[in-house]
Amino acid sequence: MGKPKFLVSTGAGISAESGISTFRDAGGLWEKYPVMQVCSADGFRADPELVHRFYNERRKQLQQAKPNAAHAALVELEKDYDVYVITQNVDDLHERAGSEKVLHLHGELMKMRSVKNPDYVEPLDIEHLETTPRTRGKNGDLMRPHIVFFQEPVPNMEAAAALAAEADIFVVIGTSLAVYPAASLLYYVRPGVPIYYIDPKPANVSGVPNVTVIRETASKGMEELAKLLEKKKAD
Ligand code: APR
């Protein structure tokens, strides 16, 4: 019998304590940038220079950020659980914290991909943080940020839903549950599986059965969750 399957779905809130701004909080990214200009298929077609510059800026900021206690707590849980992280975040903080299994729904800031072939992806590194519409990959293709824009499909959603359907515990951390299909992951969880939602200003989940809301920041909420799980094991 393997370890219980612990599935965690994270949003921008888990990276807030690492100094990366969220999208919809006061002062969030979408207050400063017109989202449809910098994060939509139409916006990319209209002004690719602006979109490349926007992600260059976020990639540069990411170099100053470090994983926080919440990322570390998820790694810690790998001792007792088979932990799988499904994240809407495009930062690499889960990987840098040491999480073994991470599935990105909305792409990855530290990668670029071919404009014409979405399956051709190349890593970006500290020496190559900037891309432009003229950047070419090793195979000669013109490249773009490896980000899922609004108006584009979410290729990893099917895999994420399959993982949610197998979870023995499902945890949601730091997401407004405003964006679909990511927000619908909650509904793939089998009946009776406990769900925990950690967020200081949680979205309304009163319609979802079996949810325990922990109204805390990610790091404090993970401490509280660890205690709840310990207590459950003792019962
Ligand atoms: N700890 C935990 N949660 C926090 C913290 C914190 N310190 N600070 C803020 N939050 C919560 C907010 O209360 C909110 O519920 O994080 C959530 C951030 O919500 P959004 O800004 O909407 O971010 P997210 O849900 O990840 O957005 C989803 O929208 O624009 C797209 O692709 C983008 O992946 C993103 C998606």
Side-chain angles (χ1 to χ4, degrees):
M1 176 69 175
K3 296 176 188 172
K5 290 187 174 16
F6 185 107
L7 196 70
V8 57
S9 169
T10 64
I14 197 170
S15 300
E17 290 163 272
S18 297
I20 296 182
S21 65
T22 62
F23 295 96
R24 296 174 181 81
D25 284 316
L29 217 51
W30 295 152
E31 260 182 28
K32 298 187 192 102
Y33 295 90
V35 52
M36 294 314 272
Q37 267 182 15
V38 294
C39 187
S40 78
D42 288 345
F44 183 59
R45 258 189 299 279
D47 189 347
E49 292 283 354
L50 172 70
V51 174
H52 276 270
R53 268 202 313 277
F54 175 69
Y55 287 98
N56 290 344
E57 189 46 45
R58 292 182 65 195
R59 210 170 285 126
K60 211 159 52 200
Q61 283 166 9
L62 179 55
Q63 306 319 307
Q64 317 310 323
K66 287 188 184 50
N68 61 59
H71 296 103
L74 289 176
V75 179
E76 190 60 22
L77 282 170
E78 290 182 6
K79 285 200 189 87
D80 299 325
Y81 298 93
D82 177 10
V83 180
Y84 216 122
V85 177
I86 296 178
T87 186
Q88 297 173 79
N89 299 341
V90 294
D91 64 53
D92 58 351
L93 296 179
H94 282 299
E95 290 87 345
R96 280 161 52 192
S99 285
E100 294 288 323
K101 298 177 187 170
V102 182
L103 183 66
H104 287 266
L105 289 179
H106 295 161
E108 297 179 65
L109 210 41
M110 293 307 287
K111 292 182 180 171
M112 61 180 182
R113 73 159 185 256
S114 159
V115 172
K116 68 179 183 198
N117 169 10
D119 297 331
Y120 182 77
V121 180
E122 281 186 18
L124 290 164
D125 55 34
I126 193 82
E127 271 75 53
H128 309 93
L129 284 180
E130 309 239 324
T131 59
T132 77
R134 290 158 302 286
T135 299
R136 288 189 182 273
K138 294 187 178 65
N139 71 346
D141 284 3
L142 284 173
M143 304 297 275
R144 56 165 273 183
H146 182 44
I147 300 292
V148 175
F149 296 141
F150 284 105
Q151 303 166 330
E152 292 185 330
V154 180
N156 288 339
M157 185 60 202
E158 205 177 316
L163 287 164
E166 291 167 3
D168 299 312
I169 298 177
F170 189 83
V171 179
V172 182
I173 307 175
T175 174
S176 59
L177 295 170
V179 173
Y180 283 79
S184 64
L185 270 180
L186 273 175
Y187 302 103
Y188 288 87
V189 174
R190 285 168 296 157
V193 169
I195 301 175
Y196 300 88
Y197 177 24
I198 299 171
D199 195 304
K201 287 189 278 130
N204 175 6
V205 285
S206 51
V208 184
N210 263 338
V211 179
T212 304
V213 176
I214 300 174
R215 198 178 283 266
E216 284 289 359
T217 60
S219 48
K220 282 214 179 58
M222 280 304 294
E223 281 172 21
E224 192 164 324
L225 175 63
K227 284 186 203 130
L228 286 174
L229 294 175
E230 272 311 306
K231 193 169 160 303
K232 237 172 120 75
K233 266 204 291 194
D235 289 357

